[in-house]
Every structure is written in C-alpha cells, then in structure tokens.
Amino acid sequence: MKQETELIRTQIERSQNNENSSPLYLNSSYAFADSEDMRAQFAEEKEGHVYSRYANPNVAELIEKMSKLEGAENGWATATGMAAVFTLFGALLKSGDEIISSRSVFGSTHKLFTEILPKWNIHTSYVNSNDYEAYDSAITERTKIIYIESPSNPALDIIDIERVSVIARNKGLLLVIDNCFATPLLQQPLKLGADVSIHSATKYIDGQGRTMGGLILSSNEIIKQVRAFARHTGPAMSPFNAWVLSKSLETLDVRMERHCSNALEIADRLEGHNAIEWVRYPFLRSHPDYEIAQRQMTKGGGIVSFELKAGLEAGKKFLDKLQLFTLTANLGDVRSIATHPASTTHSKLTLKERKEVGIGDGLVRLSIGLEHVDDLWEDISNALS
Ligand SMILES: *Cc1c(COP(=O)(O)O)cnc(C)c1O
C-alpha cells in the first residue's frame, strides 16, 4: 500500500468489541496462559507483551507504522526524542568508542556529545556539515558511528546522505541520522544508505503540541541490541503517548502538504524583502545545496530561517512585534512558531561557535504552521516594518 494508506490503515487487530480505530491499552502488565507460556515469554522464545517497559500493543502499532514508512525492518519507541538518541548510543557504544558528528546538531544532542558521553569515555569530533573529506579524515580506529542531521537546526544545512553513507560503509561504520525535520514522508534515509533513522515524535509526528516521544528505526540486528539495552534501562514510551502519536500519523500526510506549501510561499516572499540579508529554505533555488535537497527530499519541510540585516537587537524586536506567531521552544506544530537562536537556544555558544554552525545574531527560525499563508505573511511583514 502507498504511504498515505499505511498511515491510516496500519493498526493492531480489533478486540472483541470491534472498534473501528485502535483502542488504548493502558496496561502495565499482561497475563500468561499458563506457567509454560510464562517461562517461554520470559525467555524471549515466544512473542508477547509481558510488561509495558518492554512492549505494549499501542507502542507496537506506532513502531510498525513508522517502520513501514521509513522502510525499516524494525524499530523502538522511547519517551522523548532525546531518550531515542541516548538509548541508541547506550545500546551500541562502549568506553573508548568515538563518534563523528556533523557540527550543527540539536542543542541537547550537543550536550550529550560534549558533557555526558565523555563521562563514559565516549568522545565525539565535529566536522562541518558538508565537508565530505573531513568526515573521511576524522575517522580513527576507534570510530563507530557517523551522526548527522539533515536538514539541520536552525541553519537548514542539507547533507548528501548517500555520499556520507558510502564513507561510513567503506570503513565499517554505522551512519545514524536525526530525521526529525523531514519526517518519513519527506525523506527516507535508510533507503539512501543510512543504518539508523531517529525521530523526535514530539515535533511533526504529534504536530499538535500534545505529547512527547522518540523513535529509533533500523535493522532487526540493531533493534535487537537497542531492545536488550532499553528493556532494562527503562526509556519506554507510554501507551497513551503511542496511541496519540499513532492517531496523529493518520493526518501527517495532509499536514505536511500544508506545512510545506505555506513554508515555501513564506520563504519566497521573504527573499524579496529589503530588511533581510538571506533566507534559507531547502527548496529555494538560492539554497547552496538545492540540488541535493531536490534529490533526497520530496518537499522542503516546514522550517524557514532568515538573517535580519540589523542583527541581534533587531532579531529580538522582530519577535516582540509578531502577533500571530507564538514564541515557544517547540516546532512542527499546527500553530506557527518563531524563535531567535542567538538570544535563546544557542546563547551559551560564543559568537565564533555560533558562526561555525551558521547562526548569525539576526537569525530567526520560523516553524510554519497550518494557518492561512496570507495571515502569516501579514504578521511577518508588519513585524519587519
Ligand atoms: C526536538 C528535537 C530533538 C529532541 O526531541 P525531544 O522529543 O524534545 O526529546 C532531537 N532532534 C531534533 C532535530 C529536534 O528538533
């Protein structure tokens, strides 16, 4: 079936009540038929739900749906996107291993690389997002994982996934990608050679600002290792969140269509405005990696970034003048959102570090929602004036 159909029709078997849409299994544990059934399930010789730290029907439905969408053999769901990132590293790495990462990553992932994983002697070296020779030359005999984000946050760098996957495969490394900004509908990294695709389901997958969640999508072999780690460390997604997220997926296709068409229209209009230094959007011809974006994504996504000519104070003033856009840390919501990374999420970085990841003082990141594009533009152009 096509993705649009899988989003709606992938669901667990109906119960004796014959519900049309999947019911919520808000259960912590599941009964066994007899002592032999119990022994076999504990020994993992037989599939069953046992205990919701391991598995739950609603979580299983979400994993099955997301795996189909990404072309993954299997998956694992976690309480948040960061739990997915941490669980993956916890499952696959040991003391002494190294990670190579594209420089522009989500703030908490950066903290993980620089402050948390080093406690277990796991170190990360950064390379500039699209310096492909740098990935190759950063590899040492201790490197296990190449980690990338594309499109990246907030500068919207595009990385050629296929090209990095060849570098990884030649050296026997795993390529892991944070696919949060694209969703499986716009980009399917496993089909381009990546080994693991990670999502913060909190963003577009929920899309309506209600629940948090994370997903790891990969091969049976890698998910087996993830499961072995997660069963005993407990980062599980709650059944309720899985139920909400699975229902959210039913509308992902129609939501992404509007997010993307609104965002492209806003990016286009911003590009002609005289208060603006540059606009960044993957499907604008002016994007330095427009060709790669066209090749590996089906649409440009819902995020637009731009740099105001007048810098830091102008960036803050712009946000204060917006009336419709919400100032909040989230993204991928039906409501449009504006943030100013230099004074908030990335304020701990020095000016030089910010420059390295493409965050100028006047950079504004817009997460374009589903409101009418003319209302959004009126708000933006008033604030710019
Ligand atoms: C939000 C986000 C995360 C973390 O996800 P949470 O659900 O907030 O833990 C990771 N990567 C990217 C790109 C994100 O936007």
Side-chain angles (χ1 to χ4, degrees), residues 218-288:
S218 187
S219 62
N220 282 326
E221 192 192 323
I222 287 174
I223 296 302
K224 199 172 154 198
Q225 295 177 63
V226 167
R227 184 190 302 120
F229 178 83
R231 269 176 78 109
H232 304 296
T233 49
M237 177 183 281
S238 88
F240 177 76
N241 284 9
W243 178 77
V244 171
L245 291 166
S246 187
K247 298 225 178 297
S248 303
L249 281 175
E250 296 174 356
T251 60
L252 183 67
D253 180 62
V254 287
R255 283 189 283 115
M256 289 316 288
E257 227 173 275
R258 175 75 79 85
H259 278 300
C260 295
S261 64
N262 272 0
L264 180 60
E265 181 65 32
I266 295 289
D268 238 351
R269 294 188 194 182
L270 278 169
E271 202 160 41
H273 199 285
N274 58 17
I276 286 174
E277 186 75 35
W278 50 258
V279 182
R280 194 55 85 71
Y281 183 71
F283 270 35
L284 271 188
R285 282 184 186 280
S286 58
H287 191 291

Side-chain angles (χ1 to χ4, degrees), residues 80-82 106 109 149 153 178 180-181 200 202-203 212-213 331:
T80 65
M82 283 321 297
F106 185 68
T109 308
E149 260 181 45
N153 178 24
D178 182 330
C180 170
F181 271 36
S200 165
T202 314
K203 312 296 168 52
M212 302 202 71
L331 64 89

Side-chain angles (χ1 to χ4, degrees), residues 112-125:
L112 198 60
F113 287 153
T114 53
E115 291 176 23
I116 298 172
L117 291 177
K119 293 201 296 183
W120 296 294
N121 192 29
I122 295 167
H123 294 278
T124 303
S125 51

Side-chain angles (χ1 to χ4, degrees), residues 341-355:
S343 68
T344 58
T345 49
H346 293 72
S347 62
K348 303 270 189 316
L349 275 64
T350 63
L351 187 61
K352 180 170 171 287
E353 285 173 329
R354 283 209 299 272
K355 283 272 151 62

